[in-house]
Structures are given as structure tokens and as C-alpha cells.
Amino acid sequence: MSGNVWEWTSSVYNAYPYNREDGREADRGDSTNVRYVLRGGSFSYTTALVLRAADRNRLSPVVESYNIGFRCARS
């Protein structure tokens, strides 16, 4: 899946190490003053070095770009 677009996540961007209890997974409603984690990288915007699922970036949810998307999944 990596390489198509940066993928939005529901996690607020915080430094590592990851701690589920630090509030980064809390529902922020429609707040736009936070930066959420983007994963994966986009072939048209990043280099091959960071074009991987483990790469992460941060951005405000009000930003629009053809390089940013989301994954649809069902169980």
C-alpha cells in the first residue's frame, strides 16, 4: 500500500516512544489545531528512501493535497 498517497491516521503526532495512554489516540472531534500522523509516503512527492509504511509525517487535518488520502477496509 505504501507509495500511492500519504495515509491519514487517527493518531495525533507525538514523539516516540509510543504510549497508548498519553492521549494521542483520544477523539479530538472536529478540532483543526492539532497535527495528525500521516503514514507511507507518496510516489509523486517523496523519495524512494522514505517511501515505506514505517515512515511518518504530520499535518493539520485542514490541508488538502492529491498526495494525501486514506485506506478503506472492512472486516
Side-chain angles (χ1 to χ4, degrees):
M1 292 299 295
S2 64
N4 294 327
V5 294
W6 282 99
E7 179 183 329
W8 282 113
T9 71
S10 61
S11 299
V12 172
Y13 187 89
N14 281 335
Y16 280 147
Y18 179 83
N19 177 358
R20 186 184 327 171
E21 306 303 321
D22 68 4
R24 73 179 78 201
E25 301 297 336
D27 184 5
R28 306 273 191 236
D30 59 358
S31 178
T32 60
N33 63 343
V34 294
R35 292 185 175 177
Y36 288 92
V37 174
L38 295 166
R39 288 267 185 201
S42 168
F43 69 92
S44 64
Y45 189 67
T46 54
T47 65
L49 182 63
V50 295
L51 197 58
R52 58 195 183 95
D55 194 48
R56 68 196 272 256
N57 204 341
R58 64 187 178 273
L59 206 55
S60 169
V62 298
V63 174
E64 295 181 22
S65 173
Y66 66 91
N67 294 319
I68 303 170
F70 58 92
R71 183 184 310 180
C72 296
R74 74 176 189 183
S75 57

